[in-house]
């Protein structure tokens, strides 16, 4: 099969800044769309100024925007507004990431834009959506994780909420949802032959991460007392190895656990009941001591011929060098001012039929 760029020929106007919108439109550019990043000199993308930098611009900005055409236009002036209107006439999608009402203040609301281009797909990305009590509130990734219950489900041994070392709401709730909104909007526009407006709320989208907990709560279970996928089961846990590196054992289904038991030559550990593998029922110390008998890479090598769901806990540099990452061409080397940076490409590949 031949890989294709499904959005080739689509033109997207990108009024977004920081992470959620720019990463989403970056992925859309990797899927073939022509993305034009529009910045006002009065409100440049803050991520330009982060460290480290290449040629006075942050590497983060380069990784998120290198494939886009960049236009700095003061669209609050008559001449700047005229230029934006001309771009809107030629666009398929407009994405903005301001608070509700801001685009109306620039005379670029959905109602105005669809009069300029009756076939536009217009996407607004905000923290709390265009409606509701909190629609005008400011927020960041941490706020959305807090208010959707995610932090309450992610605690240390003392019960304190832990801040993840990555942006859950911004990326999965914002960037990935933007990609979905764009493709759905383009499909709806093609079928209905009229403009589409899509309201993307990071708060709404982040709620989906609590699906298991929400399902348990509906059954009157207290998920906070039963975090079975968050360390309560010995067969779904993290273990330190002899070299101080870690592995992730994800042998959730019993077929994987029983295969693991064969791998470590412990047939007495096999079971037909998941309850036998709850921490406190199964002595977790046995596993902790076992994993400290080999290095991380020795364990991964040993597991290669067994169906056990055992993975190394890698750092980012190791991810770049992973053979599977290279096989999938997930990262691309791009030269910026004589320096190479790695660019994330896209989360999926599209192929023509056989």
């Amino acid at each position: 099969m031949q890989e294709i760029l499904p959005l080739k020929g689509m033109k997207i106007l990108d009024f977004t800044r920081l992470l959620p919108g720019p990463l989403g439109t970056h992925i859309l550019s990797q899927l073939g769309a022509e993305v034009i990043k529009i910045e006002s000199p009065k409100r440049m993308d803050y991520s330009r100024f982060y460290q480290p930098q290449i040629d006075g611009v942050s590497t983060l900005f380069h990784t998120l925007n290198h494939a886009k055409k960049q236009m700095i236009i003061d669209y609050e002036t008559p001449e700047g507004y005229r230029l934006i209107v001309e771009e809107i006439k030629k666009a398929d999608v407009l994405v903005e990431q301001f608070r509700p009402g801001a685009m109306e203040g620039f005379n670029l609301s959905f109602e105005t834009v669809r009069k300029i281009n009756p076939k536009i797909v217009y996407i607004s990305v905000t923290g709390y959506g265009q409606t509701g009590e909190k629609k005008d509130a400011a927020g960041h990734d941490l706020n959305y994780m807090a208010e959707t219950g995610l932090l309450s489900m992610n605690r240390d041994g003392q019960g304190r909420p832990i801040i993840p070392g990555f942006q859950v709401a911004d990326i999965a709730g914002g960037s990935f949802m933007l990609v979905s909104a764009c493709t759905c909007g383009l499909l709806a526009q093609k079928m209905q032959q009229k403009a589409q407006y899509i309201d993307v709320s990071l708060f709404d989208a982040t709620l989906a991460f609590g699906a298991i907990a929400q399902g348990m709560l509906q059954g009157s279970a207290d998920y906070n007392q039963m975090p079975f996928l968050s360390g309560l089961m010995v067969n779904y846990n993290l273990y330190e190895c002899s070299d101080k590196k870690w592995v992730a054992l994800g042998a959730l289904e019993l077929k994987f656990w029983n295969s693991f038991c064969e791998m470590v030559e412990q047939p007495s550990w096999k079971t037909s009941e998941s309850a036998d593998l709850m921490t406190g029922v199964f002595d977790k110390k046995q596993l902790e001591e076992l994993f400290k008998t080999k290095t991380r890479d020795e364990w991964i090598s040993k597991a290669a011929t067994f169906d056990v769901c055992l993975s190394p806990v890698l750092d980012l540099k190791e991810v770049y060098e992973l053979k599977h990452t290279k096989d999938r061409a997930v990262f691309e080397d791009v030269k910026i001012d004589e320096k190479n940076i790695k660019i994330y490409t896209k989360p999926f590949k599209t192929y023509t039929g056989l």
Side-chain angles (χ1 to χ4, degrees):
M1 294 188 292
Q2 180 181 357
E3 186 178 2
I4 62 171
L5 299 175
L7 296 183
K8 188 174 182 178
M10 296 290 104
K11 181 174 181 177
I12 299 173
L13 302 184
D14 178 8
F15 285 81
T16 68
R17 297 181 293 176
L18 293 172
L19 180 61
L23 176 56
T25 52
H26 166 74
I27 294 171
L28 293 170
S29 76
Q30 299 300 295
L31 292 170
E34 176 191 3
V35 179
I36 301 177
K37 182 176 179 63
I38 297 173
E39 295 175 89
S40 166
K42 299 175 182 176
R43 54 187 69 82
M44 301 289 284
D45 190 332
Y46 304 134
S47 71
R48 282 181 174 271
F49 312 113
Y50 294 171
Q51 296 292 339
Q53 295 186 346
I54 298 176
D55 196 23
V57 177
S58 75
T59 54
L60 173 62
F61 184 89
H62 286 305
T63 59
L64 298 181
N65 299 289
H66 84 285
K68 306 171 188 176
K69 179 180 178 182
Q70 298 176 28
M71 299 177 64
I72 299 175
I73 302 174
D74 187 352
Y75 39 80
E76 293 176 86
T77 66
E79 177 61 18
Y81 186 76
R82 184 188 68 78
L83 292 173
I84 290 296
V85 167
E86 291 304 309
E87 294 296 333
I88 290 172
K89 289 178 181 178
K90 299 177 288 185
D92 298 286
V93 180
L94 184 152
V95 185
E96 61 94 3
Q97 193 182 302
F98 297 109
R99 293 199 211 189
M103 290 294 276
E104 185 176 359
F106 306 140
N107 199 25
L108 292 171
S109 67
F110 171 62
E111 294 300 328
T112 298
V113 168
R114 74 171 176 174
K115 291 176 183 177
I116 300 169
N117 182 344
K119 294 185 178 181
I120 196 74
V121 175
Y122 192 113
I123 305 171
S124 294
V125 181
T126 59
Y128 296 99
Q130 300 294 310
T131 59
E133 180 185 29
K134 299 203 66 171
K135 67 182 182 67
D136 296 319
H140 282 294
D141 185 79
L142 183 63
N143 303 110
Y144 312 131
M145 288 191 293
E147 293 185 86
T148 55
L150 297 191
L151 290 184
S152 72
M153 293 183 278
N154 194 44
R155 299 174 184 266
D156 65 14
Q158 288 70 49
R160 295 173 297 194
I162 301 172
I163 302 176
F166 40 85
Q167 288 63 53
V168 175
D170 281 354
I171 296 175
S175 306
F176 289 171
M177 199 56 65
L178 166 57
V179 173
S180 297
C182 181
T183 52
C184 287
L186 287 169
L187 177 60
Q189 194 283 326
K190 180 178 180 180
M191 296 177 66
Q192 300 174 16
Q193 289 297 301
K194 61 182 180 181
Q196 306 290 320
Y197 180 76
I198 303 177
D199 169 12
V200 175
S201 160
L202 273 69
F203 175 84
D204 293 0
T206 304
L207 282 166
F209 281 87
I212 291 178
Q214 293 157 12
M216 293 180 66
L217 183 63
Q218 302 306 310
S220 300
D222 184 356
Y223 181 82
N224 291 318
Q225 299 301 318
M226 286 191 61
F228 65 97
L229 294 183
S230 301
L232 191 65
M233 305 189 73
V234 298
N235 56 322
Y236 197 85
N237 227 304
L238 301 174
Y239 293 98
E240 187 178 14
C241 303
S242 63
D243 55 357
K244 305 300 182 183
K245 295 182 180 180
W246 293 73
V247 292
L249 178 62
L252 186 60
E253 291 85 358
L254 293 178
K255 63 179 181 179
F256 296 128
W257 168 255
N258 290 334
S259 179
F260 171 77
C261 296
E262 293 178 6
M263 183 186 87
V264 297
E265 299 178 357
Q266 291 288 349
S268 65
W269 289 357
K270 289 186 177 183
T271 182
S272 59
E273 297 292 337
S274 294
D276 293 339
L277 302 176
M278 303 290 279
T279 300
V281 177
F282 188 101
D283 185 4
K284 187 181 178 185
K285 288 185 178 180
Q286 294 184 80
L287 282 169
E288 292 173 338
E289 293 172 357
L290 172 68
F291 277 105
K292 287 183 178 179
T293 62
K294 299 181 185 297
T295 67
R296 182 196 69 180
D297 293 346
E298 285 173 340
W299 278 115
I300 298 307
S301 177
K302 185 176 180 64
T305 55
F306 290 87
D307 203 15
V308 295
C309 301
L310 186 72
S311 302
V313 176
L314 302 176
D315 63 31
L316 189 52
K317 288 183 180 179
E318 290 176 307
V319 174
Y320 287 148
E321 296 305 315
L322 196 64
K323 183 178 183 300
H324 183 72
T325 303
K326 293 179 178 180
D327 289 344
R328 296 282 295 172
V330 179
F331 291 97
E332 176 186 356
D333 286 320
V334 175
K335 183 164 286 188
I336 304 291
D337 192 29
E338 302 305 315
K339 294 184 179 179
N340 284 326
I341 59 175
K342 291 189 180 295
I343 306 296
Y344 174 72
T345 55
K346 48 187 178 289
F348 57 86
K349 302 182 186 300
T350 307
Y351 301 92
T352 58
L354 292 174

